């Protein structure tokens, strides 16, 4: 079965960087992998996604220029490089896999995603 395993979360000071990894396995193919986060008391929000076929990337406006999504050549591992972290970035970060995009929802919305990882905690102290 499809498994997604996130890693790389940590406690860091503001201004520092982190790189999260999402190792995907058990799939035959997929359309895109996205990164989301959820802070306590807040809704899950999409940060970025990357398409498998061509490596196209798209970002939430609030993280453009600070976060970078990338993947290895096989598309089995997807990364989220986060720079200049601020306390507001504190959240549980999840990766998710979309097998087919119907186009009804943006890929920054949780609905198109079929599989989710367990999450990794990122805490940014001021």
């Amino acid at each position: 079965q499809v498994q997604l395993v996130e890693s790389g979360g940590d406690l860091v000071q503001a201004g520092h960087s982190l790189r999260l990894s999402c190792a995907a396995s058990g799939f035959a193919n997929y359309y895109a992998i996205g990164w989301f986060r959820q802070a306590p008391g807040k809704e899950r929000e999409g940060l970025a996604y990357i398409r498998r076929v061509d490596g196209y990337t798209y970002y939430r406006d609030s993280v453009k220029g600070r976060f970078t999504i990338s993947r290895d050549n096989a598309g089995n591992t997807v990364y989220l490089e986060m720079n200049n972290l601020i306390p507001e970035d504190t959240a549980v970060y999840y990766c998710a896999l979309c097998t087919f995009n119907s186009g009804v929802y943006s890929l920054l919305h949780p609905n198109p995603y079929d599989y989710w990882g367990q999450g990794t905690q990122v805490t940014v102290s001021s």
Side-chain angles (χ1 to χ4, degrees):
Q1 71 275 22
V2 176
Q3 280 195 311
L4 301 170
V5 180
E6 303 98 335
S7 61
D10 205 348
L11 168 63
V12 296
Q13 289 188 324
H16 287 213
S17 299
L18 276 177
R19 187 174 83 156
L20 306 182
S21 299
C22 171
S25 62
F27 58 88
N29 201 358
Y30 67 85
Y31 181 81
I33 287 181
W35 279 101
F36 291 75
R37 69 185 178 190
Q38 189 164 20
K42 295 191 176 180
E43 290 189 355
R44 189 168 297 192
E45 65 177 6
L47 302 173
Y49 68 84
I50 186 166
R51 285 197 307 226
R52 191 184 192 197
V53 64
D54 57 5
Y56 172 82
T57 60
Y58 189 81
Y59 297 88
R60 184 181 197 87
D61 284 348
S62 61
V63 303
K64 277 182 189 175
R66 290 197 303 129
F67 291 8
T68 303
I69 191 170
S70 62
R71 59 179 168 85
D72 63 7
N73 286 340
N76 294 336
T77 302
V78 173
Y79 306 96
L80 185 69
E81 181 79 27
M82 306 185 294
N83 296 316
N84 194 23
L85 286 161
I86 58 178
E88 290 75 17
D89 293 319
T90 295
V92 179
Y93 284 68
Y94 300 89
C95 64
L97 185 147
C98 169
T99 54
F100 172 74
N101 180 27
S102 67
V104 173
Y105 290 93
S106 160
L107 285 173
L108 291 184
H109 192 282
N111 277 14
Y113 294 87
D114 309 284
Y115 301 96
W116 292 81
Q118 82 289 349
T120 186
Q121 177 70 46
V122 172
T123 304
V124 184
S125 65
S126 57

